[in-house]
Amino acid sequence: DAVTGLPARHIAGVDAAGLRLRPTDPNTRIGQVDIWADPNTGLPVQVEVTQRGAATPVLRTSFSDVSFGTPDASDLTPPTGSGSGFTVAKVPDLLGALGNVSRFTRLPAELAGYPRAPQVRGLPQIARYGTGLTTFVVLALPADVGDSALTSAKQAGATAIALRFGQAELIQVPLLTVAVEHVGRRSYLIAGLVDSTVISNAALDLDTFRGRFR
């Protein structure tokens, strides 16, 4: 990807150096990412993300004030009022909970022409495809959750994706493309910073994929 310099800016008390990243992959919805960072530490103090084809950023985040060094202990202690306290509770194991989402489903090694990234151990029903700013994820959902999500997408004015066996609806918001798909007894959520063509092709591939544990 092409990287060029930008004029420095004084941000949060820092004379920050700027650079612009322009993704070369035409399938990403990100047109450019502008970053201003402290030249001594590399700490980004402002980031702006512009959608492909747009003239102004759709996402901007920055520090209003920043200082370097060890903070005072008082800055790391949250204020508490009289009578306040805490309790300890056990939280269900996250991997175990996600592992029960759709335990009989596995996902293909490639979708929409993009290879699957290294698998998250113990979570075969969650997969990431592509690299960098051309990345999308797929999550296998329980059938009832998928049906509900599909209905909500239709009511929100989503665009239908023509499939051979199942149903899918596509929604686009700035930077993000999302599809909900239901095929037979399986449902999927597909989302990423990619063009609608990529998400639609992924839905088409899943429409004919018969992935189950043996």
Side-chain angles (χ1 to χ4, degrees), residues 92-113:
D93 178 65
L94 177 60
L95 292 181
L98 289 174
N100 289 325
V101 167
S102 186
R103 65 177 66 183
F104 299 112
T105 301
R106 62 182 175 87
L107 293 166
E110 181 178 294
L111 281 178

Side-chain angles (χ1 to χ4, degrees), residues 50-67:
T50 303
Q51 181 174 312
R52 188 180 298 278
T56 57
V58 296
L59 176 66
R60 177 185 289 116
T61 181
S62 66
F63 285 109
S64 57
D65 183 63
V66 64
S67 61

Side-chain angles (χ1 to χ4, degrees), residues 26-168:
N27 290 324
T28 181
R29 297 190 67 192
I30 295 178
Q32 65 188 40
V33 180
D34 295 341
I35 302 171
W36 285 267
D38 174 60
N40 297 316
T41 65
L43 174 71
V45 292
Q46 181 166 310
V47 177
E48 297 179 353
V49 183
T50 303
Q51 181 174 312
R52 188 180 298 278
T56 57
V58 296
L59 176 66
R60 177 185 289 116
T61 181
S62 66
F63 285 109
S64 57
D65 183 63
V66 64
S67 61
F68 301 93
T70 304
D72 293 333
S74 60
D75 293 330
L76 303 178
T77 304
T80 56
S82 60
S84 62
F86 69 92
T87 185
V88 177
K90 281 191 174 183
V91 178
D93 178 65
L94 177 60
L95 292 181
L98 289 174
N100 289 325
V101 167
S102 186
R103 65 177 66 183
F104 299 112
T105 301
R106 62 182 175 87
L107 293 166
E110 181 178 294
L111 281 178
Y114 289 92
R116 187 175 66 192
Q119 186 68 51
V120 179
R121 189 172 63 179
L123 296 175
Q125 68 289 335
I126 301 176
R128 178 172 63 87
Y129 297 85
T131 58
L133 298 177
T134 311
T135 298
F136 62 96
V137 296
V138 179
L139 171 64
L141 303 172
D144 57 340
V145 175
D147 285 342
S148 176
L150 196 64
T151 299
S152 297
K154 291 178 180 178
Q155 292 174 347
T159 302
I161 301 173
L163 302 179
R164 180 180 177 185
F165 300 106
Q167 302 178 66

